[in-house]
Each structure stands twice: as structure tokens, then as C-alpha cells.
Amino acid sequence: MLCFDQNGKIDILSLRFDELEAKIVELGEKKFRAKQIFTWLHVRNARNFSEMTDISAQLRIRLEEMFCIKSLFEVKRLESCTDNTVKYLYELADGNHIESVLMEYEHGNTICVSTQVGCKMGCRFCASTIAGYKRDLTVSEILLQIYESQRLSGRKIGGAVLMGIGEPLDNYDNVVDFLRIISCEQGMNMSLRHVSVSTCGIVPRIYELAELKLGITLSISLHSANNKSRSEIMPINDKYDISELIAACRHYFAVTGRRISFEYSLISGHNDSENDAKQLARLLSGFTCHINLIPVNKIKERDFHSDRKSAYRFQKYLQDLGMNATVRRTLGADIDAACGQLRREYEI
Ligand code: SAH
């Protein structure tokens, strides 16, 4: 994606490999130079052109004139005492803040990245939405959360979930370029099987994403199988209701063969009754998918609550109806690892 800084220089980290190659050829250089530069940027995480020692001094000067290498600034870090979860608060060049959370799973380190500054989706239980939406993140700002967290922690990151601040499918073009760059052979070469994109349900984008057949896992924030109660907590449901959303999910599965993951945050007294479980089972019966139950995280601005006990009770209701569901493992509970809470503290 072509983006510029305030001096009119091209943000080189936001360029896909094919875009960088075209720019380097435009400069009258051989194609293989693009590969060298891309590796410096996305594998060795060079922060200056002067580090690129296998590139001639003359070309480095021209690169410097034409391009800039963006960076993020760590403002705060919270490390969990109970597991290896680390939450980073980063400041962007324009003074905005975003969060990233590094987590340890059995198969390695995975990072939860933000895709926007704030969010306009308005989900009632989510802290990211309270101060509203400011702007989309650029491709480089999404990528740098991985590179910077990897550098600061000294831990190799093998997977990513787009479940931080923002709605990924509301920043569709940048998110798709981000996915192409992290999975690029000449770059980090991350397997998209280890990447999840989570959406509150922007239906037309689900159809578009299906056509790309990227191999990612699509996570749908469902949180209710009933239109009335879903609309009460998720305004997006008034635009694309549950039947439209499920039709898009069935299409996605038919085209990609990738099993969809449905996120269901349990809110006590709102969506956790036996009847809610019955409606969910009816909605998803016969659909190859995974249901992930999450006791809602308390946020100080709202009165929603739940606990693990009711999550297990809801899981049992589903099991009795022949549906499999897991209760999501809580990571970093002592550092409020979830959902935009640190940024909120910092902005106010
Ligand atoms: N906008 C995207 C991704 C960001 S949120 C989406 O809606 O999917 C990642 C997940 O956390 C979503 O399933 C979201 O609904 C859920 N979530 C947000 N706030 C939460 C809270 N307080 N407790 C539990 N889950 C929450």
C-alpha cells in the first residue's frame, strides 16, 4: 500500500514485495535488490538504511531520499506474573496509542495486534469503542507491532491474532496487505494457518475475503444467536443480521474449506441461559465450526459480568445438545490483557 510521511517520503514498510520491486526497478536497479531490501526490513528489522551493508552507499542515499522507515515507541509494558503474557502500549508517530499483547501457547508465541486507533463498531461490552474511532492503522503500523514486540521481548513470534483494538474488516485493504507481507516468502514467511482474523460481522467483506483463499482462520464475534439480544450489545447486527452473517460464513467455509471459529462472550443474564444455548445449537447445527466461550471481561465503564463457572455451565448445555465448545483459557488476567483497557487509561 502506497503511503507517505509528512515529508512526502514513501513508507517503505507498507509496500508489498511486488510494490517494492516495481519501485526499485523504477530507480533503474536490478530486481534482486528489492529482495535484499525487503529482507533487511522484514526479517532483520533494520531501522535505518545505513544498516543495509550489502547495498551500495550510493543506492542507500537514494533510498533515504525516497523512502522512510517507520517505527513505534514503547510507552508502557505490563508483564504477567502468572504466565508469559506481555502487554505493550505503543505510541504512533502522530501521538496516538495502540496495544499489542504477546502470548505464549503450546506451539509458540502469538501476538494479538490492533488494526485501528479506537473502533466505530460500538459493541457495548468492549473498551476499545468507548472513546470512538480515530483512524485506521497503516500496514507498517500493524506489522511493526510484531517486529517491535519480537525485538523488545527477544521471543520469536510465530502467529498472530487480529483481535486487538479495532475492526480488521473495517480496515480491509491494509489488513489484506499486512497478511500478504507477513506471509511473504522473502519476508517473515509466517504461515497464515497461524493467523486469525476476528470480525464483528461486516458481511460484504467476508465474501471478499473468501475469494482471496488466504488460509487464515476467520473468527466471528457472534455473542448471541438471537437478533434482538445481539442487536442490544452489537449495533452491527442492525446492519447485517444473524441470518446474513451465517450465510456469509457458510459461503466462506464452502469456498475456503477453513473451519470458522465463533466467539461467544458470556454476559450474565443476557446470553447465558439454557434457552440461549438451544438457539445457538440450532443456528450452528451441522456447520463445521468451533465455538469459543469467553466469560466477558469486566470493563470499568460498564456493568457486564460473568465467571468461569457459568461458562462451564453453558458449555455443558451445548454438549448436551451435541455441540462442542471450549472455554477460552485466560491469559494475562492480572494485567488486564484484554480489549483496549490500557489505551483507555492512557488517553484520559
Ligand atoms: N473487532 C473485532 C476484533 C477485536 S475484539 C471483533 O469484533 O471481532 C476481539 C474479541 O474480543 C471479539 O470477539 C470481541 O467481541 C471480544 N471482546 C471485546 N470486549 C470484550 C470483553 N469485555 N469481554 C470479552 N470479550 C470481549
Side-chain angles (χ1 to χ4, degrees):
M1 174 76 59
L2 202 56
C3 319
F4 299 90
D5 72 356
Q6 66 281 12
N7 303 316
K9 292 188 184 185
I10 299 170
D11 168 6
I12 195 168
L13 278 169
S14 287
L15 297 179
R16 293 187 315 265
F17 181 64
D18 57 307
E19 292 172 326
L20 179 66
E21 213 172 47
K23 289 280 165 217
I24 296 303
V25 171
E26 252 173 55
L27 283 173
E29 294 290 332
K30 293 266 188 312
K31 269 190 176 178
F32 78 92
R33 290 275 172 229
K35 190 168 172 224
Q36 282 178 309
I37 298 166
F38 200 81
T39 305
W40 272 111
L41 294 168
H42 298 280
V43 181
R44 303 201 206 180
N45 304 135
R47 301 164 107 204
N48 291 294
F49 291 107
S50 58
E51 289 174 43
M52 303 183 181
T53 44
D54 53 2
I55 309 264
S56 72
Q58 205 186 2
L59 177 56
R60 276 188 264 151
I61 292 168
R62 295 183 69 197
L63 292 174
E64 188 86 56
E65 283 164 3
M66 191 168 172
F67 300 104
C68 64
I69 305 178
K70 293 269 192 176
S71 50
L72 294 181
F73 307 95
E74 182 193 16
V75 180
K76 193 166 171 177
R77 182 188 310 192
L78 295 177
E79 293 179 308
S80 169
C81 304
T82 51
D83 49 58
N84 277 328
T85 304
V86 188
K87 180 162 172 168
Y88 295 97
L89 182 75
Y90 290 117
E91 186 165 303
L92 308 173
D94 63 359
N96 277 307
H97 295 105
I98 50 165
E99 295 176 15
S100 317
V101 182
L102 179 57
M103 298 165 292
E104 190 173 74
Y105 292 146
E106 306 87 71
H107 50 266
N109 295 303
T110 289
I111 188 162
C112 175
V113 295
S114 296
T115 52
Q116 295 179 317
V117 181
C119 184
K120 53 175 110 125
M121 297 297 128
C123 299
R124 297 274 304 148
F125 46 83
C126 181
S128 304
T129 209
I130 290 169
Y133 162 86
K134 284 213 177 139
R135 68 170 176 86
D136 288 344
L137 294 188
T138 60
V139 179
S140 62
E141 288 166 336
I142 309 175
L143 283 166
L144 281 164
Q145 295 172 63
I146 303 185
Y147 302 163
E148 201 50 19
S149 305
Q150 198 163 246
R151 192 180 69 79
L152 291 167
S153 66
R155 285 156 62 181
K156 172 97 186 100
I157 296 175
V161 294
L162 279 66
M163 292 189 182
I165 298 170
E167 166 51 47
L169 299 192
D170 188 42
N171 184 13
Y172 183 83
D173 291 340
N174 288 347
V175 161
V176 169
D177 275 7
F178 159 78
L179 295 171
R180 296 218 187 273
I181 294 174
I182 46 161
S183 60
C184 180
E185 223 180 292
Q186 290 82 2
M188 213 181 162
N189 202 12
M190 185 185 282
S191 164
L192 291 183
R193 305 231 153 219
H194 299 148
V195 177
S196 293
V197 174
S198 182
T199 178
C200 62
I202 302 186
V203 163
R205 296 301 198 190
I206 297 175
Y207 284 99
E208 270 184 68
L209 196 60
E211 293 313 311
L212 303 181
K213 300 189 183 70
L214 290 174
I216 52 156
T217 297
L218 184 64
S219 275
I220 303 290
S221 300
L222 186 61
H223 308 325
S224 175
N226 165 305
N227 275 320
K228 184 171 170 291
S229 85
R230 190 166 192 264
S231 284
E232 277 167 16
I233 51 172
M234 300 181 72
I236 190 74
N237 197 64
D238 292 333
K239 198 157 182 193
Y240 308 109
D241 72 8
I242 293 175
S243 61
E244 291 171 275
L245 177 58
I246 298 300
C249 291
R250 289 189 189 277
H251 174 84
Y252 187 90
F253 178 68
V255 171
T256 64
R258 298 284 297 157
R259 190 174 71 151
I260 288 181
S261 178
F262 288 96
E263 309 294 309
Y264 196 103
S265 294
L266 290 156
I267 301 171
S268 180
H270 185 81
N271 62 2
D272 65 348
S273 70
E274 191 167 2
N275 194 37
D276 291 313
K278 276 186 190 153
Q279 292 189 29
L280 181 60
R282 211 174 303 132
L283 183 70
L284 298 181
S285 92
F287 190 7
T288 317
C289 63
H290 179 81
I291 305 171
N292 208 356
L293 304 173
I294 315 151
V296 77
N297 279 298
K298 255 185 116 52
I299 58 171
K300 58 176 181 291
E301 294 84 352
R302 301 267 193 267
D303 192 22
F304 295 126
H305 58 94
S306 186
D307 53 47
R308 293 192 77 75
K309 218 170 102 202
S310 33
Y312 290 120
R313 192 181 56 217
F314 197 79
Q315 183 187 33
K316 176 82 173 48
Y317 292 150
L318 289 174
Q319 264 164 7
D320 292 345
L321 294 160
M323 304 291 289
N324 267 324
T326 50
V327 177
R328 190 194 276 175
R329 200 156 62 99
T330 314
L331 286 176
D334 56 328
I335 55 167
D336 271 350
C339 316
Q341 308 200 28
L342 185 59
R343 169 174 175 261
R344 284 280 299 145
E345 258 168 48
Y346 217 79
E347 299 279 289
I348 286 171

